[in-house]
Short mmCIF file of all heavy atoms in Angstrom, two decimals:
data_model
loop_
_atom_site.label_atom_id
_atom_site.label_comp_id
_atom_site.label_asym_id
_atom_site.label_seq_id
_atom_site.Cartn_x
_atom_site.Cartn_y
_atom_site.Cartn_z
N GLY W 370 -24.87 14.97 18.56
CA GLY W 370 -25.09 13.53 18.68
C GLY W 370 -23.80 12.82 18.98
O GLY W 370 -22.72 13.41 18.98
N ASP W 371 -23.90 11.52 19.25
CA ASP W 371 -22.73 10.77 19.69
C ASP W 371 -21.92 10.26 18.50
O ASP W 371 -22.25 10.49 17.34
CB ASP W 371 -23.16 9.61 20.59
CG ASP W 371 -24.20 8.75 19.90
OD1 ASP W 371 -24.46 8.95 18.69
OD2 ASP W 371 -24.76 7.86 20.56
N ASP W 372 -20.85 9.56 18.81
CA ASP W 372 -19.97 9.03 17.77
C ASP W 372 -20.69 8.06 16.85
O ASP W 372 -20.46 8.04 15.65
CB ASP W 372 -18.77 8.31 18.41
CG ASP W 372 -17.69 9.31 18.78
OD1 ASP W 372 -17.84 10.49 18.39
OD2 ASP W 372 -16.73 8.89 19.46
N ALA W 373 -21.55 7.26 17.44
CA ALA W 373 -22.27 6.27 16.63
C ALA W 373 -23.10 6.99 15.57
O ALA W 373 -23.15 6.58 14.41
CB ALA W 373 -23.17 5.42 17.52
N HIS W 374 -23.71 8.10 15.99
CA HIS W 374 -24.52 8.89 15.06
C HIS W 374 -23.64 9.43 13.94
O HIS W 374 -23.99 9.35 12.76
CB HIS W 374 -25.19 10.02 15.84
CG HIS W 374 -26.03 10.93 14.99
ND1 HIS W 374 -27.12 10.48 14.29
CD2 HIS W 374 -25.92 12.25 14.73
CE1 HIS W 374 -27.66 11.50 13.62
NE2 HIS W 374 -26.95 12.58 13.88
N ARG W 375 -22.47 9.95 14.31
CA ARG W 375 -21.56 10.50 13.29
C ARG W 375 -21.07 9.41 12.35
O ARG W 375 -20.95 9.63 11.15
CB ARG W 375 -20.38 11.19 13.96
CG ARG W 375 -20.67 12.66 14.25
CD ARG W 375 -19.41 13.40 14.62
NE ARG W 375 -18.99 13.04 15.96
CZ ARG W 375 -19.48 13.64 17.06
NH1 ARG W 375 -20.39 14.59 16.94
NH2 ARG W 375 -19.09 13.28 18.25
N ARG W 376 -20.82 8.24 12.91
CA ARG W 376 -20.38 7.14 12.03
C ARG W 376 -21.47 6.76 11.03
O ARG W 376 -21.19 6.47 9.88
CB ARG W 376 -19.99 5.92 12.88
CG ARG W 376 -18.53 5.90 13.26
CD ARG W 376 -18.07 4.51 13.66
NE ARG W 376 -18.85 3.99 14.80
CZ ARG W 376 -18.61 4.31 16.07
NH1 ARG W 376 -17.63 5.13 16.37
NH2 ARG W 376 -19.35 3.79 17.04
N ARG W 377 -22.72 6.82 11.51
CA ARG W 377 -23.84 6.50 10.62
C ARG W 377 -23.90 7.53 9.48
O ARG W 377 -24.04 7.16 8.31
CB ARG W 377 -25.14 6.50 11.43
CG ARG W 377 -26.15 5.52 10.91
CD ARG W 377 -27.19 5.11 11.95
NE ARG W 377 -27.62 6.18 12.83
CZ ARG W 377 -27.54 6.14 14.16
NH1 ARG W 377 -27.04 5.06 14.75
NH2 ARG W 377 -27.96 7.14 14.89
N LEU W 378 -23.78 8.79 9.85
CA LEU W 378 -23.81 9.84 8.82
C LEU W 378 -22.68 9.64 7.81
O LEU W 378 -22.87 9.77 6.60
CB LEU W 378 -23.69 11.22 9.45
CG LEU W 378 -24.84 11.68 10.35
CD1 LEU W 378 -24.54 13.05 10.93
CD2 LEU W 378 -26.16 11.69 9.60
N ALA W 379 -21.51 9.29 8.34
CA ALA W 379 -20.35 9.11 7.45
C ALA W 379 -20.57 7.94 6.51
O ALA W 379 -20.21 7.98 5.34
CB ALA W 379 -19.09 8.91 8.28
N SER W 380 -21.21 6.89 7.01
CA SER W 380 -21.40 5.74 6.13
C SER W 380 -22.45 6.05 5.06
O SER W 380 -22.36 5.58 3.94
CB SER W 380 -21.73 4.47 6.92
OG SER W 380 -23.06 4.53 7.35
N HIS W 381 -23.42 6.89 5.41
CA HIS W 381 -24.39 7.33 4.39
C HIS W 381 -23.69 8.12 3.29
O HIS W 381 -23.95 7.93 2.11
CB HIS W 381 -25.47 8.21 5.02
CG HIS W 381 -26.45 7.42 5.83
ND1 HIS W 381 -27.33 8.01 6.70
CD2 HIS W 381 -26.71 6.10 5.89
CE1 HIS W 381 -28.07 7.06 7.26
NE2 HIS W 381 -27.70 5.91 6.78
N LEU W 382 -22.79 9.00 3.71
CA LEU W 382 -22.08 9.81 2.73
C LEU W 382 -21.19 8.93 1.86
O LEU W 382 -21.12 9.10 0.64
CB LEU W 382 -21.24 10.89 3.44
CG LEU W 382 -20.39 11.76 2.54
CD1 LEU W 382 -21.23 12.46 1.49
CD2 LEU W 382 -19.61 12.79 3.35
N ASP W 383 -20.54 7.94 2.47
CA ASP W 383 -19.68 7.05 1.69
C ASP W 383 -20.47 6.32 0.61
O ASP W 383 -20.00 6.16 -0.51
CB ASP W 383 -19.00 6.03 2.61
CG ASP W 383 -17.93 6.68 3.46
OD1 ASP W 383 -17.48 7.79 3.09
OD2 ASP W 383 -17.55 6.11 4.50
N ALA W 384 -21.67 5.88 0.97
CA ALA W 384 -22.49 5.17 -0.03
C ALA W 384 -22.87 6.10 -1.17
O ALA W 384 -22.89 5.71 -2.34
CB ALA W 384 -23.74 4.60 0.64
N MET W 385 -23.14 7.35 -0.82
CA MET W 385 -23.49 8.33 -1.85
C MET W 385 -22.30 8.58 -2.77
O MET W 385 -22.43 8.66 -3.99
CB MET W 385 -23.96 9.62 -1.16
CG MET W 385 -24.52 10.66 -2.09
SD MET W 385 -26.04 10.11 -2.91
CE MET W 385 -25.76 10.72 -4.58
N LEU W 386 -21.12 8.68 -2.16
CA LEU W 386 -19.91 8.92 -2.97
C LEU W 386 -19.62 7.72 -3.87
O LEU W 386 -19.21 7.88 -5.02
CB LEU W 386 -18.71 9.18 -2.05
CG LEU W 386 -18.75 10.53 -1.34
CD1 LEU W 386 -17.66 10.62 -0.29
CD2 LEU W 386 -18.61 11.65 -2.36
N ALA W 387 -19.85 6.54 -3.34
CA ALA W 387 -19.61 5.35 -4.16
C ALA W 387 -20.53 5.36 -5.38
O ALA W 387 -20.13 4.98 -6.48
CB ALA W 387 -19.84 4.09 -3.33
N LEU W 388 -21.76 5.82 -5.19
CA LEU W 388 -22.68 5.92 -6.33
C LEU W 388 -22.16 6.93 -7.35
O LEU W 388 -22.22 6.71 -8.56
CB LEU W 388 -24.08 6.32 -5.83
CG LEU W 388 -25.13 6.52 -6.92
CD1 LEU W 388 -25.43 5.22 -7.65
CD2 LEU W 388 -26.43 7.08 -6.33
N CYS W 389 -21.62 8.03 -6.84
CA CYS W 389 -21.11 9.06 -7.75
C CYS W 389 -19.91 8.57 -8.54
O CYS W 389 -19.73 8.94 -9.69
CB CYS W 389 -20.68 10.30 -6.96
SG CYS W 389 -22.04 11.18 -6.23
N GLU W 390 -19.07 7.78 -7.91
CA GLU W 390 -17.80 7.41 -8.54
C GLU W 390 -17.84 6.06 -9.24
O GLU W 390 -16.83 5.59 -9.73
CB GLU W 390 -16.67 7.42 -7.50
CG GLU W 390 -16.45 8.75 -6.80
CD GLU W 390 -15.98 9.86 -7.74
OE1 GLU W 390 -15.75 9.60 -8.94
OE2 GLU W 390 -15.84 11.00 -7.25
N THR W 391 -18.97 5.42 -9.28
CA THR W 391 -19.02 4.08 -9.87
C THR W 391 -18.71 4.13 -11.37
O THR W 391 -19.03 5.12 -12.04
CB THR W 391 -20.38 3.40 -9.64
OG1 THR W 391 -20.33 2.10 -10.21
CG2 THR W 391 -21.52 4.16 -10.30
N VAL W 392 -18.07 3.08 -11.87
CA VAL W 392 -17.91 2.99 -13.32
C VAL W 392 -19.01 2.12 -13.90
O VAL W 392 -19.16 1.98 -15.09
CB VAL W 392 -16.52 2.43 -13.74
CG1 VAL W 392 -15.45 3.45 -13.46
CG2 VAL W 392 -16.24 1.12 -13.04
N GLY W 393 -19.81 1.51 -13.03
CA GLY W 393 -20.91 0.65 -13.49
C GLY W 393 -22.20 1.43 -13.63
O GLY W 393 -22.24 2.64 -13.44
N CYS W 394 -23.26 0.70 -13.94
CA CYS W 394 -24.58 1.32 -14.14
C CYS W 394 -25.08 1.93 -12.83
O CYS W 394 -25.08 1.30 -11.79
CB CYS W 394 -25.55 0.24 -14.62
SG CYS W 394 -27.27 0.77 -14.65
#
Side-chain angles (χ1 to χ4, degrees):
D371 53 9
D372 277 352
H374 179 61
R375 271 193 286 276
R376 269 199 301 279
R377 212 158 38 237
L378 295 178
S380 75
H381 286 166
L382 177 57
D383 288 341
M385 187 64 222
L386 288 171
L388 177 65
C389 292
E390 300 295 356
T391 182
V392 289
C394 170

